[in-house]
Amino acid sequence: MDDDVQLLDTTLRDGEQAPGVSLSPEQKAEIASLLDEAGVSVIEAGSACTGPGERRTMDRVTDLDLDATVTSFTRGVQHDIDLALDVDVDGVHIVVPSSDRHVEDKVGTTKEGVLESTAELVEYATDHDLWVEVIGEDGSRADLDFLEEIMVAGMDAGADRFAFADTVGHTSPEHAYEAVSRLSQHGPVSTHTHDDLGLAVTNALASIAAGADLVHATVNGIGERAGNVALEEVAIALWHNYDVETVDTEQLYRLSSLVADATGIVLPPNKAVSGDNAFAHESGIHTDGMLKDERMYEPYAPEAVGRERRLVLGKHAGRAGVEAALAEHDVTVEDDDLAEIVAKVKEIGERGRRVTDTDLLAITEDVTGRDRERNVELLDLTAASGNGTPAASVRLRVGDDERTASGTGSGPVDAAMKAVREALRNVEFRLDEYHVDAITGGTDAVVTVDVTLRVGDRTASVAASDADITQASVEAIVDGLDRLLPADDPTGVPADD
Ligand SMILES: [Zn+2]
């Protein structure tokens, strides 16, 4: 395998073509900056021909002065190249038709016409000092002889490289290998794969094995239909199996989270690298194994992609996992009690619920009969939204104090969070996770809010359910703080204050 493989990210162009996705200029600039920081070699910032709004956004990206080569997608017309020059990109991807379907039915030209215009456009772009990649659109369904002819025409005219495009996600690894092997005889080849058959990573790796040295990918694999090949999956597969370093893998989870937030496309929990469960272990046997040897049930450590391992309690929980979870909260129990706690944890898990830290601690107190005074308690919450600015106020008992505070925000939940922060202004806490699920489908649905709260280096997971999302959110946060703040000084006010 060529260890000089590099990544081209097209989240901002092909990724943004996913249904329902539209990124703001600020979001595009933020994503581009993080891609650059991670070491992605080429960033396709958009299509300059889309319109003035897109060009303003692309300007924002080119103004960042990134190390990466910043490019624009262009159709096979000179005007598109002019528009790309206007936004000051370093290079262009000139897309020309290559399959009969695209040559004749879509563009309405002939093969000779494609070869001629490819050469002309490449010359025009290189004359203007642009880095040029020619993409043969629908290349995986094109006649291979003709695909080679397009590449040769482009390279002879001065192009830097040619991309093998599996535009509709149709190809097999064997065909990708054959096509790229033949194309590679004429110069550097990129590969552009889609996931319609679930083969995007496989086809990218087959292309690399055949000589491709630049992989087009999108963060989280977002893109049209089933999406593009996921950047994080290619990067981790190359690193783990072939010792090929393309990017700083420790940035991968940050990138995934940023793109998921910006696009609103939530990742499935079992998604490789970035899914919620990618480094979570629930089964008793697995948890026990993980506690003995962290590599027992993982191909690579979560830290390699900027994450942490999670041991989850549920219906498969065992003694070792429960004991370890209790130890995180400095709780030890007798053997008999442990057996009873494990049984109760499994009971909740069997009802299909995730067992949170607060569930576990409440069960433990119940079983051991250790009574506990709450440190923090929600006494009252009011929230209002509508025509005015959303506002909320809370009344909390914190230790022996009673505190009232109010806040405003982008919505009632945000306003209530600000009120809680104001009431506890001496306490630094962070939301590592905030997740809402509707349990039923109607407007009267009960929602469950799952949060993971952090104070210093301690975390607590909590869930709360209510028909009112603001109420459930505040209850979950107050319950988490109740567990995390020190019992002797929950207000967080220094003793000498
Ligand atoms: Zn594509």
Side-chain angles (χ1 to χ4, degrees), residues 397-412:
R397 184 180 61 73
V398 187
D400 299 326
D401 282 5
E402 203 174 291
R403 297 195 178 181
T404 308
S406 54
T408 56
S410 58

Side-chain angles (χ1 to χ4, degrees), residues 14 192 194 228:
D14 219 357
H192 182 105
H194 278 269
N228 292 60

Side-chain angles (χ1 to χ4, degrees), residues 57-95:
T57 303
M58 293 177 74
D59 267 330
R60 285 282 301 267
V61 177
T62 50
D63 282 349
L64 294 170
D65 219 2
L66 303 175
D67 289 334
T69 301
V70 177
T71 59
S72 172
F73 180 90
T74 67
R75 294 167 303 175
V77 288
Q78 193 184 309
H79 183 59
D80 277 19
I81 298 174
D82 290 331
L83 292 171
L85 286 165
D86 284 349
V87 295
D88 213 16
V89 288
D90 306 310
V92 287
H93 309 271
I94 301 174
V95 180

Side-chain angles (χ1 to χ4, degrees), residues 112-123:
E112 293 68 37
V114 171
L115 296 177
E116 228 170 84
S117 67
T118 300
E120 275 169 26
L121 292 163
V122 170
E123 270 171 31

